[in-house]
Amino acid sequence: MGFVQNSTGATGSGFATITDRGEMLEAWFRAPVLDAQISSSGTASLSETELVAELGEAALRVLQSDALRGVRRVAIRTQIEDLSKPPIDVADVYLRLQLLSHRLVRPRELNLEGMAAILPDVAWTSLGPCLAADAEAALWAARTRGLVLDIRSVFKIPRMVDYVVPSGVSISNTDRVWLGAYLSPGTILTAEGFCGFNAGTLGRAMVEGRISAGVIVGEGTDVGGGASIMGTISGGGRQVISIGKQSLLGANSGTGISLGDHCVIEAGCYVTAGAPVTLSSGEVVKAATLSGKDNILFRRNGQSGRLEAIEMKKAWGSLNAALHAKDGT
């Protein structure tokens, strides 16, 4: 499944981090909403009066400068007329990513084309973001003041939980979930679980492996420890992958094709699109021809080593209902 056109608009008020040279690093929105009545796209500054009216008196305390990192925080309102059109600036991208993590739109329902070129490289520190090129200067400035500055990552996209903490979700290692992840209630990510942006789960799921950017995982599916689902963040591939409902990727398995409902890839087996697959009839086909089909077990023949695809005769099992309860229900 590719990009789904979503022509609605969106708006949000919040704060942006701006460098002393005037470059926006990131933006945080208090309660973004979808709005079909937006007539133009762009970001405008909010006066203190407008800020208090929208976010309350306490919001004024957020408007601070930090000479150590060479940044200041300003109040903004960002509007997007049409989510099906590409983003135009940093605030636009951040609003879209937060719409995803707030579960206001699903993965692939908005356009993120060109976002990598728009977003700057940012050092995400214990004191807040700074331009990656300014990180060493910030470290030195912190030391001269007797402070400890912890640089958690240097990347274009921050971790989700610094902006959005979705209800009903368990995340063991928050560094492994990017802003723009869409995690449905009842989803569990263990310490090695990962989820990129514009990707996620459409129902209860166990994630002990990797959900790469652009990948969707269906209700009741288990992505086993070390399992990998190919994404499209790197390289020129445009193929996006979906994993259906009630499917299982065994430990250290992987797939470069979509899986339908009730499918299994056995532990240690990697299914790439061009791999030759032997069917129950003896016919050999490319794995890509089976993309998205239901009730298939992919396995390696223990004697010949051939990759095989056979019909699933019964369900592999199911998730632990108590463990994956939504908000304790």
Side-chain angles (χ1 to χ4, degrees), residues 161-183:
V161 296
D162 290 333
Y163 294 78
V164 181
V165 182
S167 62
V169 173
S170 296
I171 304 172
S172 178
N173 186 346
T174 55
D175 289 336
R176 294 179 61 83
V177 181
W178 295 351
L179 182 63
Y182 180 108
L183 300 178

Side-chain angles (χ1 to χ4, degrees), residues 67-275:
L68 188 152
R69 291 178 289 127
V71 302
R72 67 186 189 278
R73 284 197 294 268
V74 299
I76 62 170
R77 180 189 297 114
T78 296
Q79 297 186 144
I80 302 172
E81 179 185 5
D82 186 347
L83 291 170
S84 71
K85 295 180 180 179
I88 60 175
D89 57 24
V90 171
D92 188 319
V93 172
Y94 269 81
L95 180 52
R96 293 171 194 245
L97 294 176
Q98 286 167 66
L99 291 172
L100 284 161
S101 291
H102 277 292
R103 302 190 292 234
L104 295 173
V105 295
R106 289 186 172 192
R108 307 180 194 162
E109 289 185 349
L110 47 66
N111 194 334
L112 290 168
E113 183 180 355
M115 64 171 279
I118 292 173
L119 296 179
D121 291 318
V122 174
W124 303 98
T125 83
S126 52
L127 298 180
C130 70
L131 198 64
D134 296 338
E136 288 194 10
L139 284 169
W140 171 246
R143 288 179 185 274
T144 61
R145 300 181 190 185
L147 301 174
V148 175
L149 182 69
D150 179 23
I151 298 180
R152 295 166 177 164
S153 67
V154 180
F155 197 54
K156 292 179 180 292
I157 305 173
R159 61 184 188 177
M160 180 184 70
V161 296
D162 290 333
Y163 294 78
V164 181
V165 182
S167 62
V169 173
S170 296
I171 304 172
S172 178
N173 186 346
T174 55
D175 289 336
R176 294 179 61 83
V177 181
W178 295 351
L179 182 63
Y182 180 108
L183 300 178
S184 290
T187 295
I188 295 175
L189 283 92
T190 64
E192 296 303 316
F194 169 84
C195 188
F197 69 92
N198 200 24
T201 61
L202 302 186
R204 295 180 171 111
M206 172 63 81
V207 183
E208 299 178 272
R210 185 169 72 245
I211 301 176
S212 298
V215 171
I216 292 175
V217 172
E219 165 82 29
T221 286
D222 187 329
V223 182
S228 172
I229 308 170
M230 286 187 185
T232 56
I233 192 172
S234 179
R238 304 294 293 180
Q239 178 72 23
V240 290
I241 295 176
S242 299
I243 307 298
K245 300 177 182 179
Q246 303 292 330
S247 290
L248 170 66
L249 275 71
N252 296 316
S253 67
T255 181
I257 66 171
S258 292
L259 301 182
D261 298 339
H262 307 288
C263 289
V264 172
I265 301 180
E266 73 169 5
C269 179
Y270 210 114
V271 181
T272 56

